[in-house]
Amino acid sequence: MKTRSVLEGIGPYNPPRLREEISVDYGSEEYVKLTMNELSFGPLPEARAAIIETLSRAGRYPDRDATPLREAIAHAHPGISVGNIVVGNGSSETLVDLMQILDRPGEVVIPWPSFPFYVSSARVVGLDAKKVPLDDHHRADLDAMLAAVTRETRAVILCNPNNPSGTYLPLSEVRRFADALPEDVLLILDEAYYEFVDDPLYSGSHDLVLESDNVVSTRTFSKVHGLAGFRVGYALAPERLADLVWRVHVPFSVNQAGQAAATASLGQPGAIAERSRQMKRERERVQDAFETAGLEYVPSHTNFVMVGAKPQLFEKTGVLVREGEALGYPVGWSRVTIGGPEENDRLLGALA
Ligand SMILES: *Cc1c(COP(=O)(O)O)cnc(C)c1O
């Protein structure tokens, strides 16, 4: 059979290590999983109720256009209309949909270390990924990224805040970068951790989307909304690009329960903001403990922290974290998701 040779060089998604693969025997107690930046709170009560309510309709296809969800997203972003919103089975699908609208062959410029999925998904759709190293402060190096753009560049992805470094760039810098990019290059702002950033100078990329022909922002319900298992993401995009995305999009990919849960969760901005505050208090506690223990770490604006310690350090108290080398960092670094208070107690117990 004639299959695509590019697939030889791409492995399947390599998930974090599971308990069975850990050499340290932690006995019968459950391991704490701080590997994937999920929110320990899970869905809000309103989202849980909405999920249950959809059961009676589960024999029917979901709303293909996800209209109530898109209306709720539009309502949350002044100036954005339903025509500016596309949804996906997680923002991962939306990222792939966006890459599918780009001309090929060509390349996608990305910061590195960043989200490894950019590399594999670009290659799967027939684009190359060009990695531009972060600067000395673990932030995306916009000058270097701009310099990396060539006639072959179809898109630049800016992960803001960046996973796995947890650093962010203010909107003014993003705007300057967007202005400097050639108009035929798509700028994808992956803002999966948008809701965790406190700095008022960060937020507002939806205005940039509305002012531009070539800027999109992707968001997700997998992080602050605690709905990773229901797979809902979206993009804010100029209408022309949104229209193209719907053409490549797999119909019905966002299931009914996910749509309902996400809509309900968006209806509770106060509760979502409170969870974000709780997470930040825990993050400060974890970072303070790293400081006291003399560990190097990157001050975070997300619900995870990159720390200069091997995963094995935390395994002694039964905590699984993501090994840095899986994410483009050197051996000896780990990405630690901020868990609930007890989970973080276990994490910090390993430093004692
Ligand atoms: C978690 C994450 C996403 C979200 O993925 P979903 O498919 O929406 O679950 C996207 N981008 C980055 C950088 C992430 O860390």
Side-chain angles (χ1 to χ4, degrees):
M1 200 196 321
K2 207 158 176 205
T3 59
R4 294 172 59 208
S5 56
V6 68
L7 301 181
E8 304 302 327
I10 306 173
Y13 171 67
N14 185 15
R17 295 188 303 160
L18 298 171
R19 175 186 181 150
E20 298 74 59
E21 296 155 8
I22 306 292
S23 54
V24 185
D25 183 10
Y26 191 65
S28 56
E29 252 193 275
E30 279 285 304
Y31 268 77
V32 170
K33 179 171 170 274
L34 300 180
T35 51
M36 290 178 79
N37 302 346
E38 298 141 309
L39 200 75
S40 57
F41 303 104
L44 287 177
E46 291 80 1
R48 290 172 202 257
I51 290 164
I52 292 167
E53 190 275 323
T54 60
L55 274 179
S56 61
R57 292 181 280 127
R60 304 286 175 187
Y61 279 100
D63 175 353
R64 191 200 56 172
D65 301 322
T67 303
L69 172 58
R70 286 162 70 220
E71 283 170 352
I73 295 167
H75 182 72
H77 299 91
I80 291 281
S81 56
V82 167
N84 296 118
I85 301 163
V86 294
V87 294
N89 188 267
S91 54
S92 303
E93 186 186 50
T94 299
L95 286 166
V96 174
D97 284 352
L98 286 166
M99 291 199 208
Q100 292 277 25
I101 72 171
L102 301 170
D103 199 16
R104 296 164 230 185
E107 69 191 14
V108 178
V109 171
I110 61 169
W112 194 256
S114 193
F115 198 38
F117 183 67
Y118 303 147
V119 180
S120 56
S121 54
R123 295 179 73 189
V124 164
V125 305
L127 296 162
D128 288 325
K130 189 192 260 183
K131 298 173 176 175
V132 177
L134 300 181
D135 70 15
D136 292 343
H137 303 287
H138 303 252
R139 304 187 328 163
D141 186 338
L142 295 184
D143 291 336
M145 289 179 76
L146 199 57
V149 170
T150 68
R151 284 215 313 265
E152 301 308 309
T153 306
R154 304 285 172 259
V156 176
I157 306 180
L158 194 57
C159 186
N160 193 29
N162 188 52
N163 176 9
S165 59
T167 53
Y168 76 100
L169 299 172
L171 185 60
S172 58
E173 286 185 44
V174 175
R175 192 184 291 274
R176 215 175 310 129
F177 181 67
D179 288 345
L181 271 185
E183 275 165 29
D184 60 357
V185 173
L186 176 65
L187 175 57
I188 302 175
L189 306 172
D190 180 346
E191 301 177 323
Y193 302 93
Y194 184 88
E195 299 87 346
F196 292 120
V197 181
D198 276 331
D199 185 354
L201 298 179
Y202 165 78
S203 56
S205 56
H206 57 278
D207 286 335
L208 183 56
V209 167
L210 290 172
E211 290 158 23
S212 325
D213 297 325
N214 61 334
V215 180
V216 303
S217 155
T218 63
R219 311 276 179 86
T220 184
F221 287 90
S222 298
K223 305 288 157 58
V224 80
H225 289 276
L227 286 166
F230 279 86
R231 314 298 308 124
V232 189
Y234 61 98
L236 309 175
E239 272 191 44
R240 192 182 81 87
L241 298 182
D243 176 60
L244 291 172
V245 166
W246 286 118
R247 298 176 197 205
V248 301
H249 181 70
V250 173
F252 308 113
S253 75
V254 185
N255 71 73
Q256 216 155 69
Q259 290 187 29
T263 308
S265 202
L266 269 184
Q268 306 296 326
I272 292 297
E274 176 53 28
R275 299 169 137 209
S276 180
R277 282 193 291 274
Q278 278 177 280
M279 186 288 296
K280 277 172 222 158
R281 284 196 290 273
E282 284 296 302
R283 184 183 69 207
E284 295 320 304
R285 187 164 77 90
V286 168
Q287 291 189 160
D288 287 350
F290 288 162
E291 186 98 43
T292 306
L295 293 175
E296 191 183 350
Y297 68 94
V298 185
S300 171
H301 298 270
T302 60
N303 66 330
F304 56 84
V305 184
M306 212 51 214
V307 59
K310 288 188 177 158
Q312 288 76 11
L313 173 67
F314 303 106
E315 286 165 14
K316 18 177 235 208
T317 50
V319 177
L320 303 181
V321 301
R322 188 68 153 138
E323 60 280 15
E325 60 269 33
L327 307 170
Y329 267 77
V331 173
W333 283 80
S334 300
R335 189 192 62 196
V336 176
T337 301
I338 302 300
E342 285 165 24
E343 293 173 318
N344 299 330
D345 285 345
R346 286 264 291 276
L347 177 85
L348 300 184
L351 303 178

